[in-house]
């Protein structure tokens, strides 16, 4: 089958999208990804082939996370997708996230089956927003061949009559790019964050303040996102903080986790996307690599961290509580070893190689 994926980022690469595409290629399908490259000074090639995946980038400058200010640029991306779909034979359109799904709907293409790949829960916010988003999401699920959720099916919050349309595909790490390795020896205690930096400045601020006087502690922040300029500015005030920016999740993740003794997971506990059964990819990466976590109080993942002994739970805006945890593990390193042992005992529960086979039920 010829599968075309719609993706509203530049695929540099997007690890989840890459993993799905590689699996589908291995099953004998052709995969083309239509990307939206928003960076004004982008040096990424317009056309590229990576590990058999055909990549076509539409360079339309915009600022990720700027909301309705992106509408004009987004519509240009939709127009570009419409032009491609009109000229090429396509067996399936695989729409990543709600904005990718809406790009397909707005493209005017009909008669081609589509898959709605839901990377998060979209039915959030106030009553009016929930009302509108639920009907949009249900419309997209209803018309899909199948829809994919990273949450358990019952957590998607749509009508029960649509649940048969949804399959679950958790974003577990793929052992081909991330697996357990012994930590790189170091005389410095290393706290890390590896992932998108978005709406997390208050939590990083608390972490930086908690550790500012600890000469034997180093903090490394890896990842791009709307918080990056602010974090780069904050870095100047803290001699033990290093903000590195973008990294290659496929090539560098093993090294980053080998160089991390404690993973910081600071999130907004009021955000519905972190409630209930939601689990972010860093949660899985930490377990797979045996890297104990500082997790946010008040979210579902915190309950599992406590229950299974995977790390420590704090209010991520409370510098004193973060400092207390760091000082405790510095004085009692055996605590981290015990967490690491428990994490590795659970690692087999989080295998992408097993979970991804659900795609076979869709593309057959």
């Amino acid at each position: 089958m010829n599968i075309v994926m719609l993706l509203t980022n530049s695929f540099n690469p997007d690890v989840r999208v890459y993993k799905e595409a590689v699996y589908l290629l291995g099953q004998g399908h052709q995969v083309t990804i239509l990307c939206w490259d928003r960076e004004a000074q982008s040096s990424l090639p317009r056309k590229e082939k990576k590990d058999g995946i055909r990549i076509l980038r539409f360079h339309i400058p915009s600022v990720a996370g700027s909301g309705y200010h992106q509408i004009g640029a987004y519509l240009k991306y939709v127009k570009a997708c419409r032009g491609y779909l009109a000229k090429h034979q396509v067996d399936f359109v695989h729409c990543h996230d709600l904005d990718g799904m809406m790009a397909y709907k707005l493209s005017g293409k009909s008669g081609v089956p589509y898959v709605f790949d839901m990377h998060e829960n979209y039915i959030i916010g106030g009553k009016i927003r929930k009302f509108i988003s639920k009907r949009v999401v249900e419309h997209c699920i209803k018309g899909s061949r199948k829809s994919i959720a990273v949450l358990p099916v019952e957590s998607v919050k749509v009508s029960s009559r649509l649940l048969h349309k949804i399959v679950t595909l958790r974003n577990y790490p793929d052992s081909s790019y991330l697996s357990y390795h012994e930590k790189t020896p170091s005389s410095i205690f290393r706290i890390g964050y590896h992932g998108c930096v978005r709406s997390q400045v208050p939590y990083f601020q608390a972490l930086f303040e908690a550790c500012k006087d600890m000469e034997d502690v180093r903090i490394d922040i890896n990842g791009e996102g709307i918080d990056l300029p602010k974090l780069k500015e904050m870095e100047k005030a803290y001699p033990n903080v290093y903000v590195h920016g973008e990294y290659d999740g496929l090539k560098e993740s093993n090294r980053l986790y080998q160089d991390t003794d404690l993973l910081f997971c600071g999130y907004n506990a009021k955000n519905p996307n972190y409630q209930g059964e939601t689990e972010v990819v860093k949660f899985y990466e930490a377990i797979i690599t045996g890297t104990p976590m500082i997790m946010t109080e008040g979210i579902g993942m915190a309950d599992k961290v406590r229950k299974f002994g995977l790390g420590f739970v704090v209010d991520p805006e409370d510098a004193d509580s973060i400092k207390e945890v760091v000082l405790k593990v510095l004085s009692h390193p055996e605590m981290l070893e015990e967490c690491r042992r428990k994490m590795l005992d659970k690692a087999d529960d989080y295998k992408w190689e097993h979970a991804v086979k659900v795609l076979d039920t869709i593309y057959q």
Side-chain angles (χ1 to χ4, degrees):
M1 294 181 186
N2 184 21
I3 301 168
V4 172
M5 292 184 167
L6 304 191
L7 180 67
T8 55
N9 68 43
S10 61
F11 190 75
N12 197 25
D14 180 311
V15 176
R16 177 185 172 92
V17 178
Y18 174 84
K19 291 187 298 184
E20 290 185 6
V22 166
Y23 181 78
L24 292 171
L25 285 168
Q27 300 305 106
H29 306 297
Q30 292 184 348
V31 180
T32 301
I33 304 179
L34 306 185
C35 309
W36 179 8
D37 186 0
R38 310 178 195 215
E39 292 295 322
Q41 305 301 320
S42 177
S43 59
L44 294 172
R46 182 174 180 272
K47 292 183 179 181
E48 184 180 12
K49 198 165 187 178
K50 181 177 180 63
D51 299 332
I53 307 166
R54 298 171 181 172
I55 304 163
L56 179 59
R57 297 185 178 92
F58 303 120
H59 184 218
I60 307 168
S62 180
V63 178
S66 58
Y68 66 87
H69 294 291
Q70 301 180 82
I71 290 176
Y74 177 70
L75 292 176
K76 290 180 181 178
Y77 169 72
V78 171
K79 183 179 179 181
C81 292
R82 177 189 298 167
Y84 180 92
L85 294 172
K87 295 176 182 177
H88 295 81
Q89 188 273 327
V90 179
D91 296 309
F92 270 93
V93 178
H94 189 120
C95 308
H96 287 283
D97 235 323
L98 184 57
D99 44 5
M101 180 69 253
M102 295 312 299
Y104 177 63
K105 288 289 186 180
L106 292 171
S107 73
K109 187 75 173 178
S110 61
V112 177
Y114 67 84
V115 172
F116 180 19
D117 199 335
M118 299 178 283
H119 292 196
E120 57 185 69
N121 177 21
Y122 310 110
I123 305 173
I124 59 175
K127 289 184 178 179
I128 295 177
R129 181 180 174 181
K130 282 183 178 179
F131 177 83
I132 295 172
S133 59
K134 182 174 181 178
R135 275 146 186 79
V136 170
V137 170
E138 288 188 335
H139 173 74
C140 294
I141 293 173
K142 183 178 180 180
S144 69
R145 171 65 66 89
K146 279 288 185 179
S147 292
I148 300 170
V150 296
L151 300 169
V153 172
E154 61 274 12
S155 300
V156 182
K157 300 181 180 179
V158 296
S159 171
S160 59
R161 62 186 170 80
L162 294 174
L163 296 184
H164 72 284
K165 283 271 191 175
I166 306 171
V167 297
T168 300
L169 178 52
R170 295 278 198 172
N171 198 10
Y172 299 148
D174 188 329
S175 61
S176 66
Y177 78 88
L178 188 70
S179 56
Y180 173 71
H181 295 272
E182 292 288 339
K183 300 298 181 184
T184 305
S186 174
S187 60
I188 299 293
F189 186 76
R190 300 155 299 184
I191 301 174
Y193 174 90
H194 318 305
C196 181
V197 288
R198 182 175 60 189
S199 303
Q200 294 162 286
V201 167
Y203 319 124
F204 288 125
Q205 178 81 60
L207 173 65
F208 299 167
E209 282 293 313
C211 302
K212 65 181 180 181
D213 297 321
M214 301 181 187
E215 296 182 356
D216 54 349
V217 172
R218 170 187 173 115
I219 298 171
D220 288 281
I221 310 298
N222 294 281
E224 59 180 342
I226 58 175
D227 287 349
L228 187 57
K230 178 64 176 177
L231 292 175
K232 291 296 290 184
E233 186 64 29
M234 291 167 59
E235 175 188 30
K236 300 173 184 177
Y238 301 94
N240 62 343
V241 171
Y242 299 85
V243 180
H244 305 286
E246 182 182 352
Y247 69 99
D248 188 325
L250 298 174
K251 295 180 180 179
E252 298 184 80
S253 287
N254 273 321
R255 175 184 62 80
L256 293 179
Y257 279 97
Q258 281 181 277
D259 293 342
T260 302
D261 300 304
L262 188 62
L263 187 70
F264 182 69
C265 303
Y267 304 110
N268 180 359
K270 296 180 181 178
N271 187 330
N273 276 316
Y274 298 125
Q275 296 299 324
E277 292 294 319
T278 300
E279 296 167 353
V280 299
V281 67
K282 282 177 287 300
F283 178 79
Y284 306 136
E285 290 179 345
I287 293 172
I288 292 291
T289 61
T291 308
M293 294 172 263
I294 295 182
M295 181 55 73
T296 296
E297 177 70 86
I299 62 177
M301 289 178 288
D303 296 336
K304 290 191 175 181
V305 168
R306 281 199 183 96
K307 179 178 180 180
F308 298 114
L310 310 178
F312 311 89
V313 177
V314 302
D315 174 352
E317 292 188 81
D318 184 351
D320 289 337
S321 65
I322 297 172
K323 183 176 182 178
E324 181 180 344
V325 167
V326 175
L327 291 175
K328 186 183 297 184
V329 297
L330 286 173
S331 300
H332 302 281
E334 69 276 7
M335 296 177 69
L336 290 184
E337 288 303 318
E338 178 65 11
C339 288
R340 186 170 294 116
R341 182 187 65 76
K342 292 177 178 179
M343 296 175 106
L344 295 178
D345 284 346
K346 291 192 67 61
D348 282 343
D349 295 340
Y350 302 95
K351 294 290 188 181
W352 174 260
E353 296 88 333
H354 301 152
V356 71
K357 292 179 181 179
V358 73
L359 293 182
D360 294 338
T361 67
I362 301 172
Y363 295 109
Q364 52 182 309

